[in-house]
Amino acid sequence: MENLAVGLAAFFQLMGCYFFFEQPEDRCSQAPDLASWIFLVATMCFLWDTSIYPRRFMHMDRFWRVLVEIVAAIFLAEVGTIIIWCGLERFLYSLTDLFLNLTHNGCQPSPLGYWLSGLITSLVALAVLWYVLEATDGMYYLMKFARELSSTTKDFWGMLRCYTNMNTRDRRRALKVCQLARQMPNRRSASRKCCQQDGESCD
């Protein structure tokens, strides 16, 4: 889908705006909201990788494609969060509450109910997110980003450690070299531009 369509669908979900389905007034359950946010991320990843616009309509103006995908993204996001996730969260919360009632003796509800329900729903939401990332190659790009970030961080800390171990004269020399290295591309582009204006070869 278009990034604009997915972004608008996520924005309306975060703002609590619903157009096709009515949001339950009593929430999906009394479990923490963390699992709902995780499932929303999984839904957005799924929508971002999904193509619903028919190929036979590709010859039409791009405006229609964006409009159709915005409406479809909002509709599918509401189906995922209100219909699918709410039903699943209610089931998990009821199952957790039933288990605690069977194991807990007393009239008062177990104090572990809130945290246990949050743990179970979060684990299920994480499982859904992992499945979506694996199905859409999102896990590959996520691992690639993590490796690049780790490599960049190591290089940065290595340079910073080397810089801190230098004396004052070496630091000045290093800064001077960096400034000259940054000025070289500008000089090359300026000389190439002059050659092009004079009609001479720039090689």
Side-chain angles (χ1 to χ4, degrees):
M1 280 190 178
E2 293 281 344
N3 294 334
L4 177 62
V6 178
L8 284 176
F11 173 75
F12 287 130
Q13 286 291 318
L14 294 175
M15 296 300 295
C17 299
Y18 298 90
F19 301 95
F20 298 96
F21 301 97
E22 184 178 359
Q23 185 182 19
E25 296 181 358
D26 56 347
R27 300 175 54 198
C28 298
S29 71
Q30 298 180 9
D33 294 332
L34 177 61
S36 301
W37 300 125
I38 297 174
F39 188 85
L40 178 61
V41 173
T43 304
M44 294 301 107
C45 292
F46 171 77
L47 293 178
W48 182 72
D49 192 69
T50 303
S51 178
I52 65 169
Y53 195 74
R55 291 185 177 180
R56 62 169 60 185
F57 297 153
M58 287 295 184
H59 65 280
M60 299 182 66
D61 191 72
R62 185 173 178 271
F63 166 78
W64 297 107
R65 177 181 177 180
V66 174
L67 181 62
V68 170
E69 290 193 350
I70 287 176
V71 176
I74 295 174
F75 175 77
L76 292 176
E78 292 186 14
V79 169
T81 54
I82 296 180
I83 305 300
I84 298 177
W85 177 249
C86 266
L88 182 60
E89 185 178 317
R90 285 196 187 99
F91 170 76
L92 294 173
Y93 183 81
S94 300
L95 194 64
T96 305
D97 189 56
L98 177 62
F99 173 76
L100 290 176
N101 289 334
L102 292 176
T103 57
H104 178 69
N105 295 325
C107 300
Q108 297 294 331
S110 174
L112 300 176
Y114 179 80
W115 302 108
L116 184 60
S117 62
L119 177 63
I120 293 175
T121 53
S122 297
L123 289 176
V124 172
L126 285 173
V128 174
L129 177 61
W130 176 86
Y131 176 82
V132 171
L133 291 176
E134 284 287 342
T136 59
D137 291 334
M139 190 65 70
Y140 166 76
Y141 293 107
L142 187 62
M143 295 301 295
K144 181 180 178 182
F145 173 77
R147 288 194 298 267
E148 292 177 353
L149 181 62
S150 176
S151 177
T152 304
T153 304
K154 289 181 180 178
D155 293 341
F156 172 78
W157 283 113
M159 294 174 60
L160 184 62
R161 189 180 305 164
C162 180
Y163 180 78
T164 54
N165 293 332
M166 293 180 179
N167 54 34
T168 305
R169 178 182 295 180
D170 292 337
R171 290 181 182 179
R172 291 177 180 176
R173 289 179 179 177
L175 291 176
K176 188 64 176 180
V177 171
C178 291
Q179 292 175 357
L180 292 175
R182 295 179 60 182
Q183 293 174 1
M184 285 300 294
N186 297 330
R187 292 180 179 178
R188 290 179 180 176
S189 61
S191 62
R192 183 178 295 272
K193 185 176 181 180
C194 291
C195 290
Q196 292 176 352
Q197 291 177 354
D198 295 339
E200 301 177 358
S201 177
C202 299
D203 297 331

